[in-house]
Amino acid sequence: MSAPAPVAVHAPAPAASVRAPAAPRTAAWWRRHAHLLPVLAVLALLAAPAPPGGGAAEGTGTVADAASGVLVLFCAGRLLRRRERPLSRTAAFVLGAPVVGVALAAITSQDPAFSLAGVPRYLQVFVLVPASLVLLVRDRRDFGVVACGLVGLALVEGAVGAVQYATATGASYEGKDIRAVGTFGATDVMGMATVVSYGLIIAVGYALDGGGTARRRGAALACAALLCVPLLLSFSRGAWIATAVVLVLMLLATGVRRALAAALVAGALGVVLIGGAGVGSQLVSQRLDSITQVTDDPDQSVTDRYTMWAAAVDMWRDDPVTGVGLKGFPAHRDAHASLALSSGSDTDGAGAGFERQPLLSPHNMYLLVLSEQGLIGVVALVGSWLAVLVCALRRLPRARRAGRGAGAAVLVCGLLVWQLIDFAYADIGGPSTVLTAVMLGLTAAWALGRGAHGTAPGEAPRR
């Protein structure tokens, strides 16, 4: 009987690596998003401390403003090199509309030479930088990179603001240097509140995205919870109101049941932060109470604001079509304001000494444009913002049906609504102004980008 043939035993082949090495993946990521580096540079430079003496508030600009100029030039060079079609007809019309009001207001001004100096600022914030974002943000991934950059900036500024409150090194508030202003300084107290509000809305949008991974939703929710603290410590009533309204609308857009659950969580978080941890509990309560007292017993800052609002309306009555001209509000203020207006507002703390800041604007974007650019300017500018919002709202149902990008669609609408509400309490000016331009560009990239030829970032392709 013959012996059985030997069975050959083969050693198992080494398993192929499932995950690519970290270094090549990182290099591929940078190659994929290299065109967004100018945008990320603007966001990074916004965290640079504001120059002493006002900086951008006085028209000298900041390093972030300079970086936004580089962004526009980079985008223009990229278009010339690739010979691409710049914008769709809808995007060109919507983003170009503000040029009409700005140009007419400068030309018809009583001092055209002086008014021309204000043209670049309006074009930068409402035309050039937003158009650059529309051209550079190509898809859902690009959108996510810029959005994450905004959240990162918000976390950095929020951390600086929280430290300022804890160490009494912030801007002066109620006689104490505790107001969180981040790196924007005491002359731009709305800067950090704006950044943190943007970041909070973006984080909530991704947390509500049912198509995202559990890990991403958890990280977004954690970021949103962290950003609530510096937002409270900013003591900015306008930012509080706008953020509260937007978050309610975002939650309702994703379902009533989820909105009720989130309201309970938010209430519990508020009890822990204010009641348990004592995060500015007394001052926050006083600030909240003051929202309902602005008509009954207003302080001097509220009186000044109402007086400047009335002066802006009076200026518009003098020249209702084209206004008094760009940068004309300060020159015409005293001739139209009542004696209730003070000589200026006091700023102190956050690394700067006491300074008396002149009241150069009505702290209401709509009234500022109405007084300086008239009906033509306000219709063109506000109409441009509303058109972007309408386009974003039209794409929201399609994104929700597709199951991808629904959170991004909701946060885009939230950012636009927040800005429209906040502009009733604030206007452009200061180091944080270029951030508004980036935000408008990001939302326009969703609402108008590739509008006539493809899908918005985050949407599934139509078949």
Side-chain angles (χ1 to χ4, degrees):
M1 187 173 183
S2 59
V7 178
V9 179
H10 299 281
S17 176
V18 177
R19 301 180 64 181
R25 290 181 65 187
T26 303
W29 188 94
W30 280 111
R31 286 195 301 270
R32 171 68 178 77
H33 301 292
H35 61 288
L36 297 177
L37 287 178
V39 184
L40 298 179
V42 174
L43 296 177
L45 291 174
L46 273 164
E58 297 178 353
T60 58
T62 64
V63 289
D65 289 314
S68 72
V70 174
L71 165 64
V72 173
L73 292 176
F74 169 80
C75 193
R78 195 165 181 262
L79 287 176
L80 292 175
R81 185 174 67 255
R82 297 191 173 194
R83 297 182 179 180
E84 296 177 346
R85 180 178 179 177
L87 295 169
S88 67
R89 291 181 180 178
T90 302
F93 177 78
V94 171
L95 296 177
V99 177
V100 177
V102 171
L104 284 176
I107 295 172
T108 60
S109 171
Q110 298 178 13
D111 188 353
F114 181 74
S115 293
L116 283 174
V119 172
R121 189 60 158 173
Y122 274 90
L123 296 184
Q124 171 205 16
V125 177
F126 300 117
V127 180
L128 297 177
V129 173
S132 298
L133 267 293
V134 171
L135 294 168
L136 292 179
V137 176
R138 303 175 300 189
D139 53 26
R140 178 174 56 88
R141 292 183 179 181
D142 286 353
F143 181 92
V145 170
V146 180
C148 287
L150 276 167
V151 174
L153 175 63
L155 290 171
V156 171
E157 291 292 341
V160 174
V163 171
Q164 289 173 335
Y165 173 83
T167 59
T169 55
S172 179
Y173 179 77
E174 296 292 337
K176 300 178 182 178
D177 294 343
I178 57 172
R179 186 168 190 176
V181 293
T183 62
F184 296 105
T187 58
D188 189 10
V189 294
M190 281 294 296
M192 191 212 71
T194 301
V195 175
V196 170
S197 297
Y198 288 168
L200 178 58
I201 292 170
I202 293 172
V204 170
Y206 279 114
L208 295 174
D209 189 359
T213 63
R215 182 177 179 180
R216 188 177 72 177
R217 292 198 305 270
L221 187 60
C223 291
L226 290 173
L227 291 173
C228 288
V229 177
L231 181 60
L232 284 174
L233 300 180
S234 69
F235 299 110
S236 173
R237 292 171 294 199
W240 290 352
I241 294 172
T243 304
V245 171
V246 167
L247 292 184
V248 169
L249 293 176
M250 291 175 67
L251 290 170
L252 290 175
T254 57
V256 177
R257 183 179 300 178
R258 180 177 290 181
L260 292 175
L264 293 175
V265 173
L269 181 62
V271 171
V272 172
L273 288 176
I274 299 177
V279 180
S281 55
Q282 183 178 0
L283 293 173
V284 170
S285 298
Q286 292 175 356
R287 195 67 165 168
L288 286 171
D289 292 339
S290 69
I291 294 176
T292 60
Q293 297 172 355
V294 292
T295 56
D296 299 332
D297 186 21
D299 57 25
Q300 185 58 49
S301 65
V302 176
T303 301
D304 286 340
R305 183 162 301 188
Y306 285 164
T307 304
M308 290 189 294
W309 288 2
V313 173
D314 203 35
M315 291 180 202
W316 166 70
R317 290 196 183 105
D318 285 351
D319 199 338
V321 179
T322 57
V324 297
L326 290 184
K327 303 184 70 175
F329 181 88
H332 295 79
R333 179 199 61 195
D334 293 340
H336 295 83
S338 69
L339 295 178
L341 184 66
S342 66
S343 59
S345 60
D346 299 335
T347 61
D348 197 4
F354 176 85
E355 191 173 352
R356 189 77 169 167
Q357 294 290 333
L359 303 175
L360 302 178
S361 74
H363 295 289
N364 181 304
M365 191 64 196
Y366 306 107
L367 294 179
L368 176 64
V369 176
L370 187 66
S371 62
E372 293 187 344
Q373 301 181 37
L375 284 175
I376 294 178
V378 78
V379 169
L381 190 57
V382 179
S384 173
W385 306 335
L386 293 176
V388 175
L389 177 59
V390 169
C391 291
L393 288 171
R394 290 181 59 188
R395 284 181 166 176
L396 176 57
R398 191 159 67 237
R400 294 183 64 180
R401 287 194 303 267
R404 296 181 62 191
V410 171
L411 73 86
V412 163
C413 298
L415 288 171
L416 289 168
V417 172
W418 187 94
Q419 196 62 68
L420 290 172
I421 296 173
D422 185 72
F423 270 159
Y425 304 90
D427 50 46
I428 60 171
S432 62
T433 299
V434 70
L435 178 67
T436 301
V438 173
M439 185 280 295
L440 291 174
L442 185 63
T443 55
W446 177 278
L448 304 171
R450 317 288 185 185
H453 308 286
T455 59
E459 291 185 49
R462 289 173 288 179
R463 299 185 184 275

